[in-house]
């Protein structure tokens, strides 16, 4: 039996700004973009992982979520307190320069060698999620 990850979710407050980061700065490809009853199902994938889709989800995506909870999610997102993701690349320095030049993300950490075996950097996406990029040391 093979059980694999198919979808993962990142909360964003503005799909268009998020596209500027995930599609344009990271180079990911849009897989699905469907609007339905005031919601949007927007997924992207790294070109090298077409079977993994990252869903960019708004705080209001679940229609059963009470407005007070949606507001709490928005506040945590604005503070950068929701967990982000760690991505891997074969050239963290080039990726860092591409993302910084895009102007779509806040730089949190420039590329540096870490004692735990990677060279990494960190950004906040337009919604405030922390995105770490790492490159295993050879």
């Amino acid at each position: 039996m093979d059980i694999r990850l198919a979808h993962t979710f990142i909360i964003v407050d503005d799909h268009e700004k998020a596209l500027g980061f995930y599609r344009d700065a990271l180079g990911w490809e849009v897989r699905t973009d469907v609007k339905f009853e005031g919601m949007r199902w927007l997924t992207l994938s790294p070109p090298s992982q077409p079977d993994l889709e990252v869903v960019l989800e708004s705080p209001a995506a679940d229609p059963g979520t009470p407005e007070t909870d949606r507001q709490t999610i928005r506040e945590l997102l604005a503070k950068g307190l929701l967990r982000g993701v760690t991505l891997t690349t074969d050239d963290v320095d080039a990726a860092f320069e591409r993302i910084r030049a895009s102007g779509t993300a806040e730089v949190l950490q420039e590329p540096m060698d870490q004692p735990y075996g990677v060279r990494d950097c960190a950004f906040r996406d337009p919604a405030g999620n922390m995105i770490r990029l790492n490159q295993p040391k050879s």
Side-chain angles (χ1 to χ4, degrees):
M1 178 186 329
D2 183 25
I3 299 175
R4 301 180 320 156
L5 182 63
H7 293 85
T8 190
F9 296 77
I10 296 175
I11 296 177
V12 300
D13 56 355
D14 184 317
H15 285 98
E16 294 309 314
K17 286 182 182 177
L19 277 171
F21 178 73
Y22 292 96
R23 181 193 59 206
D24 302 337
L26 295 185
W28 289 5
E29 298 170 346
V30 174
R31 300 288 177 211
T32 308
D33 191 354
V34 177
K35 295 177 184 171
F36 179 72
E37 294 184 3
M39 294 178 284
R40 188 173 182 181
W41 181 259
L42 175 60
T43 70
L44 296 99
S45 301
S48 62
Q49 291 180 292
D51 58 341
L52 171 63
E53 294 184 56
V54 176
V55 181
L56 300 181
E57 180 178 60
S58 77
D62 182 350
T65 302
E67 182 54 38
T68 55
D69 291 346
R70 290 180 188 173
Q71 185 58 36
T72 299
I73 292 168
R74 286 185 201 100
E75 290 169 4
L76 292 171
L77 184 62
K79 292 177 183 179
L81 294 176
L82 298 180
R83 299 301 300 166
V85 295
T86 299
L87 309 173
T88 189
T89 180
D90 60 354
D91 189 343
V92 75
D93 294 284
F96 174 83
E97 290 304 328
R98 176 180 172 167
I99 295 166
R100 179 167 55 181
S102 76
T104 61
E106 174 191 354
V107 174
L108 296 177
Q109 175 202 307
E110 294 196 8
M112 63 184 288
D113 293 330
Q114 299 290 358
Y116 44 87
V118 300
R119 181 168 178 77
D120 75 350
C121 63
F123 294 91
R124 289 216 186 277
D125 75 1
N129 296 296
M130 182 186 292
I131 309 298
R132 294 195 75 82
L133 285 119
N134 68 38
Q135 173 184 346
K137 289 185 193 174
S138 49

